[in-house]
């Protein structure tokens, strides 16, 4: 009995210590000096980032480090469930370069780009819809990533859905690349994918595929998103610095995104460089 009581006391003491430690950890003051720009990133997730520094988030991180005047370091982790908890919240890194606006697990900076789901088809395809309600989708075999916004409207339009998994370990699988390659090989007639992914992989097929941003969609599906950087809650000065950086270096950021064929929207939801979106 005494041995059992001792074990219970030890367990309670350990649990209490963990609670107190976590409480103290959460109340740590915001860092004022930065010896390096410590970025939380996926090491195998092009066009966003990889360990070779080939993604557009890598290049934006390099621009930030240069602006701060400090070295750039990374903490690599697959961007799956638990990514924020295992990186940013552990304080082993200080910023996520790409986070959708409104993502509650982080404090969002101002948006530095806005993009939209896009249709990818062969260059000679007669399918050029800019809205998911287009009757031209009826009977067409269209690739879509599971649980993404285009699925339901496409089904209502009569498309035959070819599904690809959403949550994967990027070290093992690349579903969007598979979807694009299926279009190039003729296994599907098109794919509806998140704009940065669609633009990047479509441009790198031989011959390149055509990308049609869905700027005129009328189905009510949420297809365009503002992308911010993500920092820990309770770090207002760091957020303010990043907002200032985005404001000062926006043209350079836009140029980087253009290098990766990202379809970019202005504040009115129209493609940058055009007065209005086209329609089929």
């Amino acid at each position: 009995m005494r041995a059992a009581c001792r074990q219970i006391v030890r367990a309670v003491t350990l649990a209490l210590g963990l609670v107190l430690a976590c409480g103290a950890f959460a109340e740590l003051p915001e860092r004022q000096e930065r010896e390096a720009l410590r970025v939380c990133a996926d090491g195998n997730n092009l066009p966003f980032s990889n360990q070779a520094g080939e993604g557009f988030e890598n290049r934006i991180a390099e621009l930030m480090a240069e602006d701060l005047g400090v070295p750039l370091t990374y903490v690599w982790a697959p961007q799956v469930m638990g990514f924020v908890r295992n990186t940013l919240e552990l304080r082993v890194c200080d910023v996520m370069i790409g986070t959708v606006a409104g993502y509650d697990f982080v404090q969002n900076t101002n948006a530095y780009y806005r993009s939209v789901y896009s249709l990818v088809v062969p260059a000679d395809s007669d399918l050029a819809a800019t809205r998911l309600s287009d009757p031209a989708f009826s009977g067409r075999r269209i690739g879509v990533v599971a649980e993404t916004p285009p699925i339901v409207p496409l089904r209502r339009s009569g498309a035959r859905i070819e599904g690809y998994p959403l949550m994967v370990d990027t070290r093992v699988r690349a579903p969007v690349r598979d979807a694009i390659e299926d279009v190039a090989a003729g296994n599907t007639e098109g794919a509806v994918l998140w704009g940065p992914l669609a633009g990047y992989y479509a441009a790198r097929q031989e011959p390149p595929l055509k990308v049609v941003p869905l700027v005129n969609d009328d189905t009510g599906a949420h297809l365009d998103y503002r992308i911010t950087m993500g920092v820990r809650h309770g770090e207002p000065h760091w957020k303010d610095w990043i907002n200032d950086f985005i404001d000062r270096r926006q043209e350079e950021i836009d140029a980087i995104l253009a290098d990766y064929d990202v379809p970019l929207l202005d504040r009115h939801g129209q493609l940058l460089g055009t007065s209005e979106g086209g329609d089929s």
Side-chain angles (χ1 to χ4, degrees), residues 9 35 39 48 66 72 83 92 101 147 150 156 170 182 208 210 218 256:
V9 169
E35 70 285 352
V39 175
F48 307 104
E66 177 265 325
L72 171 62
F83 178 78
V92 295
E147 301 178 52
R156 288 175 181 159
T170 55
D182 278 347
K210 180 167 63 175
D218 55 3
I256 291 170

Side-chain angles (χ1 to χ4, degrees), residues 126-140:
D126 63 347
L127 180 60
T130 60
R131 51 191 173 88
L132 295 176
S133 60
D134 197 306
F137 280 115
S138 182
R140 306 274 192 149

Side-chain angles (χ1 to χ4, degrees), residues 84-102:
V84 174
R85 182 177 64 250
N86 295 326
T87 56
L88 200 64
E89 289 184 359
L90 287 181
R91 303 179 78 92
V92 295
C93 47
D94 302 313
V95 61
M96 296 166 57
I97 301 297
T99 307
V100 67

Side-chain angles (χ1 to χ4, degrees), residues 114-121 127-132 137 142-145 148 150 154 176 179-180 183 190-200 202 210-217 222-225 261-265 271:
R114 180 180 179 183
S115 192
V116 64
Y117 273 82
S118 300
L119 170 66
V120 178
V121 292
L127 180 60
T130 60
R131 51 191 173 88
L132 295 176
F137 280 115
I142 304 295
V144 189
V145 174
T148 57
L154 281 170
V176 170
I180 294 283
V183 175
V192 176
L193 304 164
W194 172 229
L197 295 163
Y200 177 79
K210 180 167 63 175
V211 177
V212 185
L214 295 166
V215 291
N216 292 321
D217 190 63
H222 192 173
L223 299 184
D224 73 87
Y225 292 87
D261 302 285
V262 177
L264 295 175
L265 304 184
L271 286 172

Side-chain angles (χ1 to χ4, degrees), residues 39 41 61 64 71 110 128 131 161 171 199 222 243 253 270 273 280:
V39 175
M64 288 179 68
N110 293 342
R131 51 191 173 88
I161 300 297
R171 295 169 298 186
H222 192 173
N243 284 340
I253 293 171
Q270 302 298 330
S280 60

Side-chain angles (χ1 to χ4, degrees), residues 41-42 46-63 72 74 76 97:
D42 190 319
L46 288 176
F48 307 104
S49 61
N50 71 1
Q51 292 192 43
E54 297 169 328
F56 65 75
E57 290 182 3
N58 294 112
R59 287 181 56 186
I60 293 169
E62 290 167 8
L63 196 64
L72 171 62
Y74 287 97
W76 304 110
I97 301 297

Side-chain angles (χ1 to χ4, degrees), residues 22 37 47 72 75 86 101 112 121 155 157-158 180 233 242 244 250:
C22 289
L37 176 64
L72 171 62
V75 170
N86 295 326
Y112 66 94
V121 292
R155 285 197 173 122
S157 296
I180 294 283
H233 291 285
I242 296 175
D244 179 66
Q250 185 67 66

